[in-house]
Amino acid sequence: MYATQALTDLVPLAEELDKNKVTPGVLGFIVFAALAVGVWLLMKSMNRHMGRVDFEEPEPAEPASAEPVGGSAKRK
């Protein structure tokens, strides 16, 4: 009942609009600008985090021994 009532109220408003002159308007610009600022802030944060990453592999201090340390390994 509420959906049909809302549709009957909106149909006259839709008929008044010129279909050739519909634009996004101020709200569309604000949403687009907010998305652009959000993407810019994310890129800035990503660049800062990527600058802190060390891409060099550490050299192993000693070669690993063949015998495990501890008594949990089973021997046959």
Side-chain angles (χ1 to χ4, degrees):
M1 178 173 170
Y2 293 111
T4 57
Q5 184 180 8
L7 286 176
T8 56
D9 291 342
L10 291 176
V11 169
L13 293 174
E15 291 175 356
E16 293 175 7
L17 293 176
D18 185 10
K19 294 181 181 181
N20 296 325
K21 294 185 180 181
V22 175
T23 62
V26 177
L27 180 62
F29 175 75
I30 291 172
V31 169
F32 183 77
L35 287 171
V37 168
V39 168
W40 180 72
L41 289 172
L42 283 171
M43 292 294 290
K44 190 174 179 179
S45 174
M46 183 191 68
N47 284 333
R48 202 171 342 143
H49 282 85
M50 291 299 284
R52 295 178 186 167
V53 174
D54 183 22
F55 289 104
E56 295 178 11
E57 288 187 26
E59 296 179 12
E62 295 180 16
S65 62
E67 199 168 314
V69 179
S72 63
K74 294 181 180 180
R75 295 185 186 204
K76 291 184 180 181

